[in-house]
Amino acid sequence: KGNINIVGTIYDFYSEKKNPGKIWEIGKDSWKDINLFIADELEISKYGGIDYLISKGLKSLIVTRGHKSTIFKSVAGIFGECDGEVAPDPDLIMRIKDRINFPGDTTGAGDNFLGGVVVELVKQFPNSLNLRKIVEFGNFCGSKSCFQYGGVKL
């Protein structure tokens, strides 16, 4: 009690190898204890999809989709009931498309998105939480990371 449980995922190679084509699990009855679940579109499908996760007790989630709109949904809990999409900044998309030699890559964009979500959530807390604004700041942080080179050559 008094905690906010946020789960951000990475692709679960272990679950996919162990049970190919089966729904990934996160732990027995754990969904109801998660305040915010963040995953990309492929991972959400591997966990059974939005409706499945909500039926298991998950209250709120964010689905990142790369350069497409980020989806958010909350059915209860700390964010109340809300849902929608947040489009990436169109000016930023144009800057990326217009550059001949794009100086950066997407390495770390998801990590920076998650960091932005946590920062905005903490800024809003303990007042009422606005999931749309949280996603907007996450999108901003994730997109900014695309203007830097990531990854390490091995």
Side-chain angles (χ1 to χ4, degrees), residues 13 15 26 35 81 87 91 99 106-107 115 121 133 137 149:
F13 290 99
S15 290
I26 205 163
N35 297 107
E81 289 187 31
D91 183 49
R99 291 195 177 195
T106 60
T107 303
L121 191 150
K133 288 186 186 279
F137 193 69
Y149 286 109

mmCIF file of all heavy atoms in Angstrom, residues 13 15 26 35 81 87 91 99 106-107 115 121 133 137 149:
data_model
loop_
_atom_site.group_PDB
_atom_site.id
_atom_site.type_symbol
_atom_site.label_atom_id
_atom_site.label_comp_id
_atom_site.label_asym_id
_atom_site.label_seq_id
_atom_site.Cartn_x
_atom_site.Cartn_y
_atom_site.Cartn_z
ATOM 1 N N PHE A 13 12.459 -13.468 -24.589
ATOM 2 C CA PHE A 13 12.959 -14.578 -25.391
ATOM 3 C C PHE A 13 12.790 -15.909 -24.656
ATOM 4 O O PHE A 13 12.515 -16.931 -25.274
ATOM 5 C CB PHE A 13 14.440 -14.365 -25.747
ATOM 6 C CG PHE A 13 14.655 -13.258 -26.721
ATOM 7 C CD1 PHE A 13 15.038 -11.999 -26.292
ATOM 8 C CD2 PHE A 13 14.466 -13.468 -28.076
ATOM 9 C CE1 PHE A 13 15.231 -10.977 -27.197
ATOM 10 C CE2 PHE A 13 14.661 -12.446 -28.993
ATOM 11 C CZ PHE A 13 15.054 -11.197 -28.547
ATOM 12 N N SER A 15 10.389 -16.895 -22.444
ATOM 13 C CA SER A 15 9.011 -17.405 -22.533
ATOM 14 C C SER A 15 8.673 -17.858 -23.947
ATOM 15 O O SER A 15 7.989 -18.859 -24.132
ATOM 16 C CB SER A 15 8.010 -16.332 -22.099
ATOM 17 O OG SER A 15 8.100 -16.116 -20.719
ATOM 18 N N ILE A 26 3.314 -13.187 -16.442
ATOM 19 C CA ILE A 26 4.206 -12.333 -15.667
ATOM 20 C C ILE A 26 4.293 -12.785 -14.219
ATOM 21 O O ILE A 26 5.090 -12.295 -13.461
ATOM 22 C CB ILE A 26 3.776 -10.863 -15.788
ATOM 23 C CG1 ILE A 26 4.956 -9.957 -15.537
ATOM 24 C CG2 ILE A 26 2.613 -10.551 -14.881
ATOM 25 C CD1 ILE A 26 4.766 -8.566 -16.001
ATOM 26 N N ASN A 35 0.129 -1.118 -11.285
ATOM 27 C CA ASN A 35 -0.593 0.132 -11.516
ATOM 28 C C ASN A 35 -0.468 0.609 -12.963
ATOM 29 O O ASN A 35 -1.385 1.235 -13.483
ATOM 30 C CB ASN A 35 -0.072 1.242 -10.600
ATOM 31 C CG ASN A 35 -0.296 0.926 -9.146
ATOM 32 O OD1 ASN A 35 0.647 0.617 -8.437
ATOM 33 N ND2 ASN A 35 -1.536 0.977 -8.692
ATOM 34 N N GLU A 81 -10.649 6.191 -15.166
ATOM 35 C CA GLU A 81 -10.995 5.641 -16.474
ATOM 36 C C GLU A 81 -10.623 6.635 -17.560
ATOM 37 O O GLU A 81 -11.049 7.792 -17.525
ATOM 38 C CB GLU A 81 -12.490 5.332 -16.556
ATOM 39 C CG GLU A 81 -12.896 4.150 -15.709
ATOM 40 C CD GLU A 81 -14.348 3.745 -15.936
ATOM 41 O OE1 GLU A 81 -14.852 3.926 -17.057
ATOM 42 O OE2 GLU A 81 -14.954 3.263 -14.975
ATOM 43 N N ALA A 87 -0.229 11.016 -30.597
ATOM 44 C CA ALA A 87 0.584 10.980 -31.813
ATOM 45 C C ALA A 87 1.966 11.552 -31.527
ATOM 46 O O ALA A 87 2.118 12.424 -30.673
ATOM 47 C CB ALA A 87 -0.099 11.784 -32.917
ATOM 48 N N ASP A 91 6.199 17.770 -36.087
ATOM 49 C CA ASP A 91 7.378 18.536 -36.456
ATOM 50 C C ASP A 91 8.627 17.664 -36.341
ATOM 51 O O ASP A 91 9.518 17.706 -37.192
ATOM 52 C CB ASP A 91 7.504 19.771 -35.556
ATOM 53 C CG ASP A 91 8.674 20.649 -35.944
ATOM 54 O OD1 ASP A 91 8.803 20.963 -37.149
ATOM 55 O OD2 ASP A 91 9.454 21.031 -35.043
ATOM 56 N N ARG A 99 15.871 14.918 -43.158
ATOM 57 C CA ARG A 99 17.334 14.863 -43.045
ATOM 58 C C ARG A 99 17.901 13.807 -43.981
ATOM 59 O O ARG A 99 17.455 12.666 -44.004
ATOM 60 C CB ARG A 99 17.757 14.549 -41.616
ATOM 61 C CG ARG A 99 17.439 15.711 -40.718
ATOM 62 C CD ARG A 99 18.162 15.566 -39.439
ATOM 63 N NE ARG A 99 17.859 16.760 -38.658
ATOM 64 C CZ ARG A 99 18.531 17.107 -37.610
ATOM 65 N NH1 ARG A 99 19.515 16.381 -37.195
ATOM 66 N NH2 ARG A 99 18.210 18.198 -36.960
ATOM 67 N N THR A 106 17.378 4.696 -33.168
ATOM 68 C CA THR A 106 16.317 4.467 -32.181
ATOM 69 C C THR A 106 16.786 3.692 -30.952
ATOM 70 O O THR A 106 15.971 3.401 -30.078
ATOM 71 C CB THR A 106 15.140 3.712 -32.823
ATOM 72 O OG1 THR A 106 15.604 2.448 -33.306
ATOM 73 C CG2 THR A 106 14.530 4.514 -33.954
ATOM 74 N N THR A 107 18.060 3.395 -30.869
ATOM 75 C CA THR A 107 18.567 2.685 -29.694
ATOM 76 C C THR A 107 18.275 3.501 -28.435
ATOM 77 O O THR A 107 18.622 4.673 -28.354
ATOM 78 C CB THR A 107 20.082 2.446 -29.810
ATOM 79 O OG1 THR A 107 20.347 1.731 -31.010
ATOM 80 C CG2 THR A 107 20.614 1.675 -28.611
ATOM 81 N N GLY A 115 11.548 6.329 -18.964
ATOM 82 C CA GLY A 115 12.075 7.330 -18.035
ATOM 83 C C GLY A 115 11.213 8.580 -18.007
ATOM 84 O O GLY A 115 10.922 9.121 -16.942
ATOM 85 N N LEU A 121 5.069 11.192 -14.087
ATOM 86 C CA LEU A 121 4.204 10.645 -13.037
ATOM 87 C C LEU A 121 4.612 11.208 -11.681
ATOM 88 O O LEU A 121 3.763 11.640 -10.893
ATOM 89 C CB LEU A 121 4.284 9.117 -13.043
ATOM 90 C CG LEU A 121 3.239 8.392 -12.193
ATOM 91 C CD1 LEU A 121 2.927 7.045 -12.819
ATOM 92 C CD2 LEU A 121 3.702 8.200 -10.775
ATOM 93 N N LYS A 133 -1.058 13.217 -20.368
ATOM 94 C CA LYS A 133 0.127 14.071 -20.223
ATOM 95 C C LYS A 133 1.370 13.245 -19.917
ATOM 96 O O LYS A 133 2.470 13.566 -20.369
ATOM 97 C CB LYS A 133 -0.097 15.128 -19.148
ATOM 98 C CG LYS A 133 -1.071 16.207 -19.569
ATOM 99 C CD LYS A 133 -1.146 17.296 -18.522
ATOM 100 C CE LYS A 133 -2.208 18.300 -18.847
ATOM 101 N NZ LYS A 133 -1.838 19.286 -19.796
ATOM 102 N N PHE A 137 4.735 13.224 -22.380
ATOM 103 C CA PHE A 137 6.115 13.470 -21.970
ATOM 104 C C PHE A 137 7.000 12.266 -22.279
ATOM 105 O O PHE A 137 8.152 12.423 -22.687
ATOM 106 C CB PHE A 137 6.198 13.844 -20.482
ATOM 107 C CG PHE A 137 7.538 14.404 -20.102
ATOM 108 C CD1 PHE A 137 7.942 15.639 -20.568
ATOM 109 C CD2 PHE A 137 8.397 13.683 -19.297
ATOM 110 C CE1 PHE A 137 9.194 16.160 -20.238
ATOM 111 C CE2 PHE A 137 9.649 14.180 -18.949
ATOM 112 C CZ PHE A 137 10.044 15.427 -19.433
ATOM 113 N N TYR A 149 23.382 8.990 -31.319
ATOM 114 C CA TYR A 149 23.754 7.621 -31.653
ATOM 115 C C TYR A 149 23.685 6.780 -30.387
ATOM 116 O O TYR A 149 24.165 7.179 -29.338
ATOM 117 C CB TYR A 149 25.156 7.541 -32.242
ATOM 118 C CG TYR A 149 25.215 8.062 -33.654
ATOM 119 C CD1 TYR A 149 25.839 9.261 -33.943
ATOM 120 C CD2 TYR A 149 24.611 7.355 -34.691
ATOM 121 C CE1 TYR A 149 25.885 9.753 -35.238
ATOM 122 C CE2 TYR A 149 24.640 7.837 -35.985
ATOM 123 C CZ TYR A 149 25.276 9.037 -36.250
ATOM 124 O OH TYR A 149 25.300 9.517 -37.520
#
